[in-house]
Amino acid sequence: MIVRTLIAAAVLAVAAPALAQTAAPSAAPQGMTLQQFQASNGDKLFARLDTNKDGKISPDEFTAFRKENPEVDAKATKAGKRGQRVFSRFDKDKDGFLSRAEADDVLAWRYKRMDKNNDGVLTLEELQAKKGKAKVGV
């Protein structure tokens, strides 16, 4: 939830002026592509989670970040286990850490979940989805 809020706030601050422009009905949808989303949020997210600045996110760093918003795990079916499952899901090389590329996969997952109409573009409305309206939070 915190990550979703941080990402949405950062994206809105950067992209709101461009997204606010109206397009002609026949034009392609205006918004943010996955590449723009990752470029805009990747460094900030990785820097925030990689607290010891060693270039990778450890399970402890990930857990500490999630403890900033403990109700996320408390609401999960298996309280306290959701963060571990999310971490292991994105640790594709199973080295026990999340690399920058693996962190980008987390953002791609989040992007896909926010893109409600699956058109490959996040619109201002999708970025501003209220709590409970977006598909899922990180």
Side-chain angles (χ1 to χ4, degrees), residues 46 55-57 93 95 97-104:
F46 197 81
K56 54 191 174 184
I57 299 167
D93 60 8
D95 66 350
F97 297 94
L98 294 182
S99 66
R100 176 55 201 268
E102 290 167 331
D104 279 346

Short mmCIF file of all heavy atoms in Angstrom, two decimals, residues 46 55-57 93 95 97-104:
data_model
loop_
_atom_site.label_atom_id
_atom_site.label_comp_id
_atom_site.label_asym_id
_atom_site.label_seq_id
_atom_site.Cartn_x
_atom_site.Cartn_y
_atom_site.Cartn_z
N PHE A 46 14.21 1.60 -5.62
CA PHE A 46 15.38 0.81 -5.27
C PHE A 46 16.20 1.50 -4.18
O PHE A 46 16.64 0.87 -3.22
CB PHE A 46 16.24 0.54 -6.51
CG PHE A 46 17.22 -0.57 -6.32
CD1 PHE A 46 16.81 -1.89 -6.44
CD2 PHE A 46 18.54 -0.31 -6.00
CE1 PHE A 46 17.70 -2.93 -6.25
CE2 PHE A 46 19.43 -1.35 -5.81
CZ PHE A 46 19.02 -2.66 -5.93
N GLY A 55 23.63 -2.23 -3.50
CA GLY A 55 23.21 -2.54 -4.85
C GLY A 55 22.25 -3.71 -4.95
O GLY A 55 21.97 -4.19 -6.05
N LYS A 56 21.74 -4.17 -3.83
CA LYS A 56 20.76 -5.25 -3.83
C LYS A 56 19.87 -5.10 -2.60
O LYS A 56 20.26 -4.49 -1.61
CB LYS A 56 21.44 -6.62 -3.86
CG LYS A 56 22.46 -6.82 -2.78
CD LYS A 56 23.28 -8.08 -3.01
CE LYS A 56 24.38 -8.15 -1.97
NZ LYS A 56 25.25 -9.26 -2.18
N ILE A 57 18.67 -5.66 -2.70
CA ILE A 57 17.71 -5.58 -1.61
C ILE A 57 17.67 -6.93 -0.92
O ILE A 57 17.35 -7.94 -1.53
CB ILE A 57 16.31 -5.21 -2.15
CG1 ILE A 57 16.36 -3.85 -2.85
CG2 ILE A 57 15.29 -5.20 -1.02
CD1 ILE A 57 15.13 -3.53 -3.67
N ASP A 93 16.55 -15.35 -9.59
CA ASP A 93 17.78 -16.15 -9.60
C ASP A 93 18.02 -16.87 -8.28
O ASP A 93 19.00 -17.58 -8.13
CB ASP A 93 18.99 -15.30 -9.98
CG ASP A 93 19.24 -14.15 -9.02
OD1 ASP A 93 18.58 -14.07 -7.96
OD2 ASP A 93 20.11 -13.31 -9.34
N ASP A 95 19.02 -16.02 -5.38
CA ASP A 95 20.25 -15.75 -4.64
C ASP A 95 19.99 -15.12 -3.28
O ASP A 95 20.92 -14.80 -2.54
CB ASP A 95 21.19 -14.87 -5.46
CG ASP A 95 20.66 -13.46 -5.69
OD1 ASP A 95 19.47 -13.19 -5.38
OD2 ASP A 95 21.43 -12.61 -6.19
N PHE A 97 18.48 -12.20 -2.78
CA PHE A 97 18.46 -10.74 -2.87
C PHE A 97 17.67 -10.33 -4.10
O PHE A 97 17.55 -11.12 -5.05
CB PHE A 97 19.88 -10.17 -3.00
CG PHE A 97 20.76 -10.45 -1.82
CD1 PHE A 97 21.59 -11.55 -1.80
CD2 PHE A 97 20.72 -9.62 -0.71
CE1 PHE A 97 22.40 -11.82 -0.70
CE2 PHE A 97 21.52 -9.88 0.39
CZ PHE A 97 22.36 -10.98 0.39
N LEU A 98 17.17 -9.11 -4.11
CA LEU A 98 16.55 -8.55 -5.30
C LEU A 98 17.54 -7.59 -5.95
O LEU A 98 18.01 -6.65 -5.31
CB LEU A 98 15.26 -7.80 -4.96
CG LEU A 98 14.10 -8.61 -4.43
CD1 LEU A 98 12.89 -7.71 -4.19
CD2 LEU A 98 13.74 -9.74 -5.35
N SER A 99 17.87 -7.86 -7.20
CA SER A 99 18.73 -6.97 -7.97
C SER A 99 17.89 -5.83 -8.52
O SER A 99 16.66 -5.82 -8.41
CB SER A 99 19.38 -7.73 -9.12
OG SER A 99 18.39 -8.14 -10.04
N ARG A 100 18.54 -4.89 -9.18
CA ARG A 100 17.80 -3.78 -9.79
C ARG A 100 16.85 -4.31 -10.87
O ARG A 100 15.71 -3.86 -11.00
CB ARG A 100 18.78 -2.75 -10.36
CG ARG A 100 18.12 -1.61 -11.12
CD ARG A 100 17.08 -0.92 -10.21
NE ARG A 100 16.13 -0.20 -11.00
CZ ARG A 100 16.23 1.07 -11.33
NH1 ARG A 100 17.25 1.77 -10.92
NH2 ARG A 100 15.32 1.64 -12.07
N ALA A 101 17.31 -5.28 -11.66
CA ALA A 101 16.45 -5.86 -12.70
C ALA A 101 15.24 -6.55 -12.08
O ALA A 101 14.12 -6.44 -12.59
CB ALA A 101 17.25 -6.84 -13.56
N GLU A 102 15.45 -7.25 -10.97
CA GLU A 102 14.33 -7.91 -10.29
C GLU A 102 13.38 -6.87 -9.68
O GLU A 102 12.17 -7.08 -9.67
CB GLU A 102 14.85 -8.88 -9.23
CG GLU A 102 15.54 -10.09 -9.84
CD GLU A 102 16.34 -10.92 -8.86
OE1 GLU A 102 16.84 -10.36 -7.85
OE2 GLU A 102 16.48 -12.13 -9.10
N ALA A 103 13.93 -5.76 -9.21
CA ALA A 103 13.08 -4.68 -8.69
C ALA A 103 12.25 -4.08 -9.83
O ALA A 103 11.09 -3.71 -9.63
CB ALA A 103 13.92 -3.61 -8.01
N ASP A 104 12.82 -4.00 -11.04
CA ASP A 104 12.06 -3.54 -12.19
C ASP A 104 10.92 -4.49 -12.50
O ASP A 104 9.85 -4.07 -12.97
CB ASP A 104 12.96 -3.36 -13.41
CG ASP A 104 13.72 -2.04 -13.39
OD1 ASP A 104 13.37 -1.15 -12.58
OD2 ASP A 104 14.67 -1.90 -14.18
#
